[in-house]
């Protein structure tokens, strides 16, 4: 080869093996080279024994999958380009026309939208059950029910269900259960062993966008199982739909994982301190945080998360919500959120910056206003990594200006 262009493309130099560093290398590829035709015909990416195409895995994504599986106490993991993609992959892999799926009424909103849209269009029916009433879930399971979604704690209002009894019921009825474990993050409890005796969910879905990323700058999700057959079904759907994640995004999450427990604990403690302070403010009719004794499902949180904590105190995420008293209008609640300076208006959570979002709860619950919730307007807070005293002062000034007593 004498032409420099060809020589640059087919340059023979290879860096020496044996390089090692704190972070895995970032491998980016669509095309993957094979040494010969025999390898091309026999190599299999499904068990991570080889590489075939960038979409099916690289050393970087395989490494992240193994670490997320470890974080979630599972055995098998697939990565998706967002948390919602992970939700969709699980439902699409485990449901077909004629099946029914049951979803808690306080589930992640886009999961409900997917079910009402695409899944319904494909002939998959659904019901929304009361997450705080195991008997309601039991009454809704039918011979057509193939999948039950679980969420702990619930989206926005953070009720903690009787997760152990929900899973026990699904086991008894022979129905697959999938947990949205984004709140727990693999740290608050073990989704595959909730009672210390091996009772666990079948599948755990996790929005890695939140705590595993930790920076508010990556979209990614995961689906983790212990069951090889379920994993194969999920993996095949993942492949057929062409989902993949970039090497750069995988590297970003890998870099953040070593600090996830420290960040989770710090944001947990900040949320508890602020939630307790909010509980003393006259403008709030109710404060929702699973670790507060008066919050719906507190005993269930203690049962699952307290048992998972070596110190007995239980772990919880950096989220809490308040029910602004019904005497304040939506416009006043919106002004309160606008007046906050450190809490930024924005969706998602788990990043370094504290966030706030007001919600119209009546518009997102299918079965009416939950009996365990006070009347008012829900505002959800996500604590970041700012000084807690500064965050409390921000809440105080916004209350004084926008929601006077």
């Amino acid at each position: 080869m004498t032409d420099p262009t060809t020589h640059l493309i087919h340059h023979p130099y290879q860096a020496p093996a044996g390089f090692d560093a704190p972070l895995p290398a970032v491998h980016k590829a669509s095309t993957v080279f094979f040494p010969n035709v025999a390898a091309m015909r026999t190599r299999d990416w499904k068990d991570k024994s080889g590489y075939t195409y960038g979409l099916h895995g690289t050393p970087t994504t395989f490494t992240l999958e193994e670490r997320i599986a470890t974080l979630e106490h599972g055995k098998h993991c697939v990565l998706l380009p967002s948390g919602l993609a992970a939700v969709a992959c699980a439902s699409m892999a485990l449901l077909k026309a004629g099946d029914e799926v049951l979803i808690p009424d306080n589930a992640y909103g886009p999961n409900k939208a997917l079910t009402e849209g695409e899944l319904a269009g494909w002939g998959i029916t659904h019901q929304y059950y009361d997450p705080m009433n195991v008997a309601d879930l039991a009454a809704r399971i039918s011979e057509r029910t193939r999948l039950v979604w679980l969420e702990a704690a619930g989206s926005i209002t953070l009720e903690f269900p009787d997760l152990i009894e929900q899973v026990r019921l699904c086991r008894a009825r022979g129905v697959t259960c999938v947990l949205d474990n984004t709140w727990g993050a693999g740290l608050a409890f073990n989704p595959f062993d909730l009672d210390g005796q091996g009772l666990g969910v079948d599948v755990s879905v996790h929005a890695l966008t939140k705590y595993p990323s930790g920076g508010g700058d990556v979209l990614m999700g995961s689906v983790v199982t212990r069951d090889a057959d379920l994993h194969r079904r999920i993996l095949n759907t993942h492949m057929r739909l062409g989902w993949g994640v970039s090497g750069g995004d995988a590297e970003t999450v890998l870099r953040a994982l070593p600090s996830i427990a420290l960040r989770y604990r710090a944001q947990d403690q900040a949320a508890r301190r602020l939630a307790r302070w909010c509980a003393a403010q006259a403008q709030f009719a109710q404060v929702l945080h699973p670790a507060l004794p008066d919050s719906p499902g507190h005993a269930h949180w203690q049962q699952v998360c307290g048992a998972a904590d070596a110190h007995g105190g239980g772990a919880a995420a950096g989220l809490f919500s308040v029910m602004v008293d019904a005497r304040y209008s939506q416009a006043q609640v919106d002004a309160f959120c606008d007046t906050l300076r450190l809490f930024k208006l924005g969706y998602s959570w788990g990043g370094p910056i504290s966030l706030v979002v007001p919600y119209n709860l009546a518009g997102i619950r299918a079965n009416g206003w939950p009996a365990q919730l006070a009347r008012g307007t829900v505002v959800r807070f996500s604590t970041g990594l700012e000084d807690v005293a500064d965050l409390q002062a921000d809440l105080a000034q916004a209350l004084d200006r926008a929601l006077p007593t």
Side-chain angles (χ1 to χ4, degrees), residues 10-34:
H10 294 272
H11 199 284
Y13 177 79
Q14 291 188 347
F19 179 83
D20 200 10
L23 286 178
V26 181
H27 294 265
K28 299 179 180 181
S30 53
T31 297
V32 173
F33 294 140
F34 298 86

Side-chain angles (χ1 to χ4, degrees), residues 1-13:
M1 296 180 292
T2 57
D3 187 278
T5 302
T6 302
H7 194 64
L8 288 173
I9 294 172
H10 294 272
H11 199 284
Y13 177 79

Side-chain angles (χ1 to χ4, degrees), residues 156-227:
I156 302 170
T157 43
L158 303 172
E159 305 100 321
F160 206 96
D162 190 346
L163 198 54
I164 290 176
E165 287 305 314
Q166 288 178 334
V167 173
R168 186 171 284 129
L169 172 64
C170 291
R171 284 278 183 272
R173 298 290 186 90
V175 178
T176 301
C177 58
V178 180
L179 171 70
D180 184 334
N181 195 30
T182 304
W183 179 93
L187 298 168
F189 58 89
N190 179 349
F192 297 102
D193 186 7
L194 297 167
D195 63 352
Q197 300 179 40
L199 179 71
V201 303
D202 296 299
V203 179
S204 178
V205 168
H206 193 162
L208 307 183
T209 303
K210 309 306 199 272
Y211 291 110
S213 161
D217 56 353
V218 171
L219 289 166
M220 196 178 297
S222 64
V223 182
V224 173
T225 67
R226 284 186 174 181
D227 185 279

Side-chain angles (χ1 to χ4, degrees), residues 25 154 253 368 377:
V253 177
T377 303

Side-chain angles (χ1 to χ4, degrees), residues 36-261:
N36 50 56
V37 173
M40 179 175 279
R41 288 175 175 164
T42 60
R43 189 179 292 178
D44 189 359
W45 54 273
K46 297 182 184 68
D47 59 0
K48 293 186 170 68
S49 62
Y51 306 98
T52 58
Y53 189 67
L55 195 62
H56 302 151
T58 68
T60 309
T61 58
F62 282 178
T63 299
L64 180 55
E65 285 176 347
E66 291 300 307
R67 294 190 185 183
I68 295 299
T70 298
L71 173 67
E72 292 264 31
H73 309 274
K75 293 182 179 179
H76 313 284
C77 173
V78 295
L79 299 175
L80 286 300
S82 70
L84 179 55
V87 168
C89 184
S91 285
M92 292 169 69
L94 302 176
L95 294 166
K96 65 181 185 304
D99 291 346
E100 180 181 63
V101 57
L102 303 184
I103 300 176
D105 203 10
N106 63 353
Y108 174 54
N111 188 358
K112 299 167 82 171
L114 171 71
T115 303
E116 295 169 3
E118 279 70 18
L119 297 190
W122 297 333
I124 299 166
T125 61
H126 65 275
Q127 293 186 62
Y128 296 120
Y129 67 89
D130 181 351
M132 304 306 288
N133 185 349
V134 177
D136 183 59
L137 173 59
R140 294 177 187 272
I141 294 177
S142 72
E143 60 182 14
R144 296 178 57 225
T145 306
R146 295 291 177 269
L147 183 64
V148 171
W149 275 94
L150 308 170
E151 191 155 338
S155 182
I156 302 170
T157 43
L158 303 172
E159 305 100 321
F160 206 96
D162 190 346
L163 198 54
I164 290 176
E165 287 305 314
Q166 288 178 334
V167 173
R168 186 171 284 129
L169 172 64
C170 291
R171 284 278 183 272
R173 298 290 186 90
V175 178
T176 301
C177 58
V178 180
L179 171 70
D180 184 334
N181 195 30
T182 304
W183 179 93
L187 298 168
F189 58 89
N190 179 349
F192 297 102
D193 186 7
L194 297 167
D195 63 352
Q197 300 179 40
L199 179 71
V201 303
D202 296 299
V203 179
S204 178
V205 168
H206 193 162
L208 307 183
T209 303
K210 309 306 199 272
Y211 291 110
S213 161
D217 56 353
V218 171
L219 289 166
M220 196 178 297
S222 64
V223 182
V224 173
T225 67
R226 284 186 174 181
D227 185 279
D229 290 336
L230 283 176
H231 172 66
R232 184 56 58 91
R233 292 171 64 183
I234 292 163
L235 187 62
N236 285 338
T237 296
H238 178 274
M239 180 272 293
R240 288 190 289 260
L241 291 171
W243 274 315
V245 302
S246 76
D249 284 348
E251 186 270 342
T252 300
V253 177
L254 282 166
R255 184 171 57 188
L257 280 180
S259 66
I260 184 174

